[in-house]
Amino acid sequence: MNELFEQFAEAQTVRNGYLLAQTLSPVAPPDDAHRLRKIWQSTNSHSVKGDIKHFIKTQSSYRVNLDVDEINGWVEVYAAYWNAIGEILAGESGKSTWTKVYESWKELTSMLIRGYNNFGFEAWTIPSLYLVGKYLRLFAIKSDDERSRSSADPTTAASLMQDDFDPESEKQAQLRDCEQHLKRIFTLCLNDRAPIGESRKWGIYFVINLLFKTYFKLNSASLSRTILKTLAVYNDKGDMPSLESFPKAQRVTFKYYEGVLFFLEENYVQAEKHLVQAWNLCHKDAKANLERILTYLIPCRLLTSHVLPTKKLLEPFPRLQDLFLPLAQCIRQGDLRQFDIALQHGEDVFVRRRIYLTLERCRDIALRNLLRKVFIAGGFDEAKDGDTAPPVRRTRVPVAEFRAAICMGSGGETVDTDEVECLLANMIYKDLMKGYIARERGIVVLSKKGAFPGTGV
């Protein structure tokens, strides 16, 4: 424990919040694999608070001047940390559960929050909240997974009494509890009235990102809007540092989730804007993050500007290549049948990522490209005698020609004329094709200029 509080004293001396946060890590550093066990074995439940106070005073007295209240606050924090270490070590030997680990870590979180509210912890120590909040969420997820496996075991009491309770309500109980504590941290940072340079507001985006991840995991992404609305109020009042002032990692994550929220609300223009910002900010070697951003950016661009992903773009991401390149090829060729097959191939992933319905809409782009081929294949109107004007493409296309193409593009499936006319009407309504249907003559009259917007014809 002496080494732990030597690091604590050093962090206090140089006012390094990230160094301080490492003293509360539940994971031993690579160069000291037995650190947690050494801390646990250095005291006992009867002496832990007294020993911690002794070490803090001994190591800190000649380096930094901590007042009595602040020392007492850190004593409570590290006593809770010591208890949590005990549960973690007991779990490693099969004598504890993730639920007990979560509960002990939740107590540590509460003590740390209390330190800021009652014992005057300074804003530079905010990275400790980052670390504690991060692991609170991870332990909650592990606890819920453990409880789910336990309830699925037919020998457990929960399964024997399953008619007496709703198992779905318990499925993510710990993560829902965790969300409440993360909101406490959010409020703690947001409501700090200290000058900006010394404010806890510098922790706000890290906590917001943790809340975003939690809401998405709970399948309650819409709750993120409440957080954003609250943040907007403070930004409008000028009572918040600008987003550009925060670490790039926090900005990337924030912009990514903001983009995904707009995506889920079907506001694809705004979604694309925020996802592009996240893409530009993201480090080029952060392949996993770049892949997540592209997963939503590609469907956005397909719908907003009909831009297909290239092989070069997807080359570093084999999973995305497998999912999106077949779709892109089918859209480019206007192959409706193969498009449906490619969409079905990636259905599980597309549904899980909530992009299936958006990609399904891209079938209209494939259909547009197919109809465009029919238009181009129709050639040009015959020039009148003595007419030296440039040739003009045929703009009156029989519905029967479109029907034949759609039947071929659908893998030989028979599509009746009424359905074809309905498809053509939808294309005109969605501004993917300019013209009108003359039903009595069985033709489609297309615009002489820009019959298929965005395609050059």
Side-chain angles (χ1 to χ4, degrees):
M1 192 175 281
N2 189 56
E3 292 178 5
L4 177 71
F5 288 102
E6 184 176 344
Q7 186 177 346
F8 170 85
E10 182 183 353
Q12 291 283 346
T13 303
V14 298
R15 298 171 70 84
N16 186 326
Y18 292 95
L19 180 61
L20 179 67
Q22 290 307 307
T23 65
L24 292 170
S25 174
V27 179
D31 58 346
D32 189 4
H34 301 291
R35 172 172 174 164
L36 298 184
R37 189 165 297 280
K38 286 190 290 186
I39 294 172
W40 171 250
Q41 293 175 344
S42 65
T43 187
N44 56 63
S45 58
H46 298 292
S47 308
V48 61
K49 289 187 178 181
D51 289 345
I52 290 172
K53 180 176 284 190
H54 167 74
F55 279 114
I56 288 178
K57 287 183 175 181
T58 302
Q59 293 293 342
S60 304
S61 59
Y62 65 95
R63 296 188 184 188
V64 63
N65 186 25
L66 298 177
D67 61 38
V68 174
D69 282 346
E70 190 171 358
I71 289 175
N72 289 337
W74 286 117
V75 167
E76 295 295 332
V77 167
Y78 282 99
Y81 175 59
W82 182 83
N83 285 324
I85 287 176
E87 292 297 343
I88 292 169
L89 294 173
E92 290 177 355
S93 59
K95 297 178 181 178
S96 186
T97 63
W98 283 115
T99 298
K100 290 182 179 179
V101 170
Y102 170 75
E103 292 296 333
S104 63
W105 200 259
K106 182 171 70 173
E107 179 64 18
L108 168 59
T109 305
S110 294
M111 289 299 104
L112 192 56
I113 293 172
R114 185 182 173 197
Y116 289 97
N117 286 328
N118 298 340
F119 298 117
F121 290 0
E122 296 183 65
W124 67 264
T125 65
I126 281 293
S128 298
L129 275 176
Y130 296 177
L131 183 137
V132 169
K134 169 187 170 182
Y135 282 102
L136 183 70
R137 176 179 169 273
L138 294 176
F139 291 150
I141 293 171
K142 288 180 178 292
S143 173
D144 285 331
D145 289 344
E146 179 183 70
R147 288 153 64 96
S148 294
R149 290 194 300 271
S150 177
S151 63
D153 186 345
T155 63
T156 63
S159 63
L160 294 174
M161 297 188 296
Q162 60 184 353
D163 291 338
D164 298 330
F165 74 102
D166 178 11
E168 287 300 316
S169 66
E170 295 293 315
K171 192 172 182 180
Q172 293 180 303
Q174 302 293 56
L175 191 58
R176 294 185 186 280
D177 181 66
C178 169
E179 180 247 344
Q180 297 301 316
H181 291 278
L182 292 179
K183 285 203 298 189
R184 290 175 63 198
I185 298 176
F186 173 74
T187 303
L188 175 74
C189 294
L190 192 68
N191 292 337
D192 188 15
R193 296 186 178 180
I196 290 297
E198 304 170 2
S199 175
R200 294 192 294 264
K201 287 186 172 73
W202 290 104
I204 197 69
Y205 282 102
F206 187 92
V207 181
I208 287 175
N209 291 337
L210 279 180
L211 280 168
F212 282 167
K213 292 177 183 180
T214 303
Y215 288 138
F216 274 76
K217 183 73 174 178
L218 290 170
N219 202 25
S220 302
S222 59
L223 293 177
S224 302
R225 274 290 164 212
T226 305
I227 299 296
L228 290 177
K229 287 177 182 177
T230 304
L231 181 64
V233 171
Y234 282 78
N235 279 326
D236 290 343
K237 292 191 299 183
D239 198 20
M240 185 70 63
S242 66
L243 178 60
E244 290 70 25
S245 305
F246 287 80
K248 187 177 288 188
Q250 295 180 22
R251 285 186 279 153
V252 170
T253 306
F254 179 77
K255 282 297 178 183
Y256 164 74
Y257 279 105
E258 198 172 15
V260 174
L261 281 172
F262 278 115
F263 182 94
L264 297 179
E265 294 166 359
E266 300 183 1
N267 188 341
Y268 299 112
V269 174
Q270 285 297 316
E272 181 180 355
K273 171 186 171 184
H274 291 288
L275 290 169
V276 167
Q277 289 175 351
W279 174 267
N280 291 334
L281 286 168
C282 193
H283 195 281
K284 64 180 181 179
D285 293 330
K287 299 297 183 185
N289 291 338
L290 291 171
E291 182 173 316
R292 291 187 184 97
I293 295 168
L294 274 184
T295 300
Y296 295 93
L297 184 54
I298 288 172
C300 275
R301 287 199 156 169
L302 279 171
L303 283 184
T304 58
S305 51
H306 306 163
V307 174
L308 297 173
T310 63
K311 188 173 183 180
K312 182 179 179 181
L313 173 68
L314 297 179
E315 192 171 356
F317 314 103
R319 285 184 294 185
L320 295 187
Q321 270 189 322
D322 181 57
L323 292 169
F324 287 116
L325 277 185
L327 282 173
Q329 185 177 4
C330 296
I331 290 171
R332 185 178 291 109
Q333 295 175 350
D335 192 333
L336 303 179
R337 172 63 178 163
Q338 289 303 314
F339 177 88
D340 293 338
I341 292 173
L343 192 63
Q344 187 177 9
H345 168 71
E347 182 175 359
D348 290 343
V349 177
F350 295 150
V351 170
R352 189 166 64 250
R353 296 294 183 186
R354 304 177 178 90
I355 62 176
Y356 181 85
L357 294 178
T358 303
L359 289 173
E360 196 175 40
R361 294 180 183 180
C362 296
R363 195 177 195 271
D364 287 341
I365 307 172
L367 177 58
R368 180 204 64 178
N369 290 343
L370 177 62
L371 300 178
R372 176 176 173 272
K373 287 184 176 182
V374 175
F375 175 64
I376 292 173
F380 299 87
D381 288 331
E382 293 183 8
K384 296 179 181 179
D385 291 339
D387 189 356
T388 59
V392 178
R393 285 199 176 277
R394 183 184 60 155
T395 56
R396 288 167 172 77
V397 184
V399 172
E401 291 185 14
F402 284 132
R403 178 173 178 268
I406 291 172
C407 289
M408 290 176 62
S410 301
E413 181 183 343
T414 302
V415 183
D416 62 41
T417 302
D418 287 342
E419 185 175 350
V420 170
E421 289 181 352
C422 182
L423 289 171
L424 294 171
N426 279 331
M427 298 298 286
I428 294 169
Y429 173 76
K430 294 174 181 178
D431 202 31
L432 293 171
M433 184 168 77
K434 287 187 179 295
Y436 63 91
I437 303 171
R439 292 198 67 193
E440 68 283 356
R441 290 185 287 166
I443 63 171
V444 179
V445 182
L446 295 169
S447 173
K448 291 183 179 180
K449 291 184 179 180
F452 292 87
T455 65
V457 295

